[in-house]
Every structure is written in structure tokens, then in C-alpha cells.
Amino acid sequence: MPKKQTRAAQLARQVQAVTGLPYTRCLKMCEPFEGSWVRLARELRAAGLIAVADHLLAVDAVTTEASTWFSAGGEIEGLFYYTDNKRVQRTYDACSDAADAALNRAGFDRHSRDSDAEAYHAAFLALSKAGTLPDGRTLARAALDVFADDATWCSDVIRSRGRAPFTYDTAAGLTGPGTPTAVAARKAARAMARAAAVPFNGDEEWYEAAGIMVEVMWHAGEAAGLSPLEGRPNCQDHLRDFMDGEIPQR
């Protein structure tokens, strides 16, 4: 009796049927990899936040599937754009539809930031937990890695709801030890709550929330034992250009 196919193998067969690409190439596109969301889920699980970890892994699975479809469409575009544009358009549309279907089955809309918002929810819970531990550097680092090095993108994501209401209200009551790591983690979590509360009104609010997200990453970096904004040149630029080079003292 044949063994049950892995999800990667099943998806590779589906991609092959739509694109006509070799199966080995499709399988390579579908192979699982450990991105920042998976690493955060692992640290959440180790910290005892099992349900949060499982939820994040489920979100990662569906967004990865959608990304695979978009990548497959892009591969066909790269191969046949100048020689068979009709095939490119037909295949790209089919891949886009498949990506939309994967997201819709999970309750996401293709053009929303809700899946990223749910990853940020998990990062908030991780930072909140790190704020209760004497040394939560590993957990804080995993949370930090979820954030994009683009403060304005982070501004949109943090203010998105996800598929269901999520409250950052617990940030106000965070308590924990007075170690530098714990204090910085709590500051990061509280800053996330402030950023999430900024309304979608216009550019002023967009940049306000972006600046607060730079604060989040600054304090999360401290909690992770890193130099503030280490490896985040775009956020460093935002700090210099829009925040006078200073993180507000709160």
C-alpha cells in the first residue's frame, strides 16, 4: 500500500498540474522551511504557550501555501514572458486563484494584512511572557524577528485586526522581575498596545504608529540582548529622519 503523501508532495502535484513545471521543481518550491514565524512558534511552545504556538503554525501553513502559488506563477512568468505570454497570463491567473482559495479557506482575504497581524499578536504574547521571566532573551529574539524592517509596513500590520478581535489591553497590567531583559520586554509589549490603538485616519497617524513600532523593535532588541535596531537599517533611517534620532522615554 502506498504511503500517504506529505502535504508538500500533495501541493507539489497540484502546482505541477496547473503550471506544467517538472515535479521535482514543484516539490522544491513546496518543501517546508523554518521561517521567523515557525521559530517564534517553537519558542512559544517552549514557554508553555501551546495554543498560541499552534495557532501561529496554522497561519504560517496557509500563508506559505499561498506564497508558493504566487512563486509558481512568477516562475512561469520568468520562463515564458517573451515566448508565450498567453500561457503566462493563463497560468498566473490560475495560480493567483489558487492562492486566494487557500487564504479564503482559512478566513483571510488576499489583500489584507490580517495574517501578518495575527503573527504580531503572537509576538505581543511572546514579549508579554518574556516580561515575566528573569531572562527571556530567546523568546524576545524570536518575537523581534517577526517584525519587518519597515516601520510604515509595521504601522499598517499592527493596526490590523486579524480574523477575530484581539485585545492588547493586557499590556497595561504587565508585571515581572526588574531585570533589564524583563523590563525591556514589557516596554516593547506596552508600545505594541499603543501602536495598535492608533486609528486609520491618514498619514499623520500612519507615521505615528510607525514611530511607535520603531520603539517596539528598539526595546525588543534590548530584551533580546542585542544592540538597539541591530540589523534594521530601514528602521534606523526612520528613527533618524522622522523621530529626531531619539526613542521617547516613557
Side-chain angles (χ1 to χ4, degrees):
M1 182 177 293
K3 293 181 180 179
K4 184 178 179 180
Q5 285 188 318
T6 65
R7 180 63 189 125
Q10 293 173 2
L11 181 58
R13 290 297 184 193
Q14 294 169 12
V15 172
Q16 182 189 28
V18 170
T19 63
L21 290 168
Y23 173 72
T24 53
R25 176 58 191 142
C26 295
L27 185 59
K28 186 172 181 62
M29 282 193 286
C30 298
E31 287 176 348
F33 67 95
E34 186 177 271
S36 60
W37 295 11
V38 176
R39 291 193 295 272
L40 175 56
R42 185 179 64 238
E43 295 303 328
L44 286 164
R45 186 177 298 279
L49 300 175
I50 308 299
V52 180
D54 289 345
H55 181 87
L56 182 56
L57 288 174
V59 175
D60 180 73
V62 71
T63 55
T64 298
E65 179 178 347
S67 296
T68 299
W69 280 112
F70 285 124
S71 296
E75 183 130 340
I76 291 296
E77 185 176 31
L79 289 170
F80 300 107
Y81 184 81
Y82 294 106
T83 59
D84 193 346
N85 195 255
K86 288 184 177 180
R87 176 181 178 180
V88 168
Q89 192 59 56
R90 181 177 66 252
T91 306
Y92 199 89
D93 288 346
C95 288
S96 294
D97 289 344
D100 287 347
L103 292 168
N104 290 338
R105 283 195 304 271
F108 293 117
D109 179 79
R110 172 183 172 183
H111 299 293
S112 78
R113 298 178 180 84
D114 285 342
S115 57
D116 294 84
E118 292 192 15
Y120 281 28
H121 298 167
F124 167 77
L125 295 172
L127 288 166
S128 298
K129 180 66 174 180
T132 70
L133 305 172
D135 186 357
R137 282 178 292 179
T138 304
L139 189 56
R141 176 60 187 267
L144 174 63
D145 287 346
V146 167
F147 304 127
D149 181 28
D150 182 339
T152 52
W153 168 260
C154 292
S155 172
D156 287 329
V157 172
I158 191 65
R159 294 181 293 157
S160 299
R161 289 168 58 102
R163 292 168 295 181
F166 179 86
T167 178
Y168 286 88
D169 293 347
T170 54
L174 287 175
T175 59
T179 60
T181 293
V183 169
R186 294 195 296 272
K187 285 183 178 180
R190 290 177 187 135
M192 288 188 75
R194 293 200 312 275
V198 176
F200 278 100
N201 285 338
D203 285 353
E204 183 176 347
E205 289 78 13
W206 187 36
Y207 278 92
E208 178 186 356
I212 300 172
M213 285 306 296
V214 172
E215 291 184 50
V216 171
M217 287 179 270
W218 178 286
H219 293 308
E222 289 180 322
L226 304 173
S227 299
L229 301 183
E230 179 179 320
R232 295 178 179 271
N234 293 319
C235 286
Q236 292 174 21
D237 289 346
H238 191 95
L239 178 67
R240 182 192 66 236
D241 298 337
F242 299 103
M243 302 172 66
D244 298 324
E246 295 184 1
I247 295 294
Q249 298 300 311
R250 303 179 195 269

